[in-house]
Amino acid sequence: VYAWLTSVIVPRPIAWVSTRSSQGIENLAPYSYFSGLASSPPLLTLGIANLRDGKEKDTLRNARESGFLCVNIVEEPFVDQMNRTSGEFPSDVSEFHETGLTPTACTAIPCVRVAESRVAMECRLVDVHPYGNGPGVNLVVAEVIHLHVADELIEDGTIADDRLRPVARLGGTAYAGIGNAFHLP
């Protein structure tokens, strides 16, 4: 079912989530079950599956412990590093260190964001709802409390659709860029 769902629910944006453990280890992992939920207050949702043994992934455990997470947007130049951060590293290993990405302090939360990411959303954990069979999955709701957007992306008070180069997840090992955008009145 996973292969079918991830092949037809496409494209899926990628939340590149940075967290910090209670031991100060900076974690970074991509999640393609990610969406906006509301704008007032600004809320995001993430689907974070548990490990095969049913234990929580570092991202969820860190977010629960600290109450915070940062969602970074993956752009085309960093797709290889994003893919590498999807590996299962030990909890005491930082994916930032393993990929050469630069952690930089968040503004409003005690966490780090990806310095190379031109868009990052600093979030407060609102709720976690467990679902599913087997190892299970967690529906994470987070409130955006601070938004970073690089100046070069902004045009007329909004993000120019031809400047941001986000990467989307397709089925299997396939990814995609935005492609041709079009506008409808």
Side-chain angles (χ1 to χ4, degrees):
V1 171
Y2 172 81
W4 284 85
L5 286 177
T6 59
S7 293
V8 298
I9 302 172
V10 294
R12 294 183 313 282
I14 301 169
W16 208 6
V17 182
S18 51
T19 57
R20 180 181 286 151
S21 74
S22 57
Q23 294 78 33
I25 306 296
E26 294 155 346
N27 177 264
L28 182 62
Y31 295 94
S32 66
Y33 284 138
F34 157 58
S35 186
L37 178 63
S39 57
S40 183
L43 298 172
L44 306 176
T45 61
L46 299 163
I48 301 179
N50 292 326
L51 296 169
R52 289 183 183 95
D53 64 4
K55 292 181 182 173
E56 291 182 347
K57 290 184 177 177
D58 293 341
T59 301
L60 182 56
R61 189 181 62 256
N62 294 345
R64 281 189 195 268
E65 288 175 1
S66 71
F68 301 101
L69 59 144
C70 185
V71 174
N72 304 271
I73 300 301
V74 179
E75 289 191 86
E76 292 173 7
F78 302 101
V79 71
D80 289 331
Q81 288 100 324
M82 178 277 306
N83 189 46
R84 180 128 165 80
T85 64
S86 69
E88 290 187 20
F89 293 93
S91 296
D92 62 348
V93 173
S94 171
E95 289 80 2
F96 283 95
H97 176 74
E98 293 297 312
T99 58
L101 291 164
T102 311
T104 190
C106 287
T107 301
I109 63 173
C111 192
V112 294
R113 60 187 176 91
V114 179
E116 292 83 359
S117 182
R118 296 190 300 168
V119 177
M121 295 169 275
E122 298 182 15
C123 300
R124 177 183 63 82
L125 181 66
V126 173
D127 214 344
V128 178
H129 301 272
Y131 292 100
N133 300 319
V137 66
N138 302 280
L139 174 63
V140 175
V141 180
E143 180 180 0
V144 178
I145 59 174
H146 192 85
L147 181 62
H148 295 271
V149 178
D151 290 342
E152 69 265 16
L153 296 177
I154 300 171
E155 181 179 294
D156 298 327
T158 190
I159 296 175
D161 58 26
D162 62 340
R163 295 181 188 168
L164 184 66
R165 306 297 298 157
V167 174
R169 188 83 160 96
L170 303 175
T173 59
Y175 291 83
I178 290 292
N180 295 329
F182 57 92
H183 299 260
L184 297 174

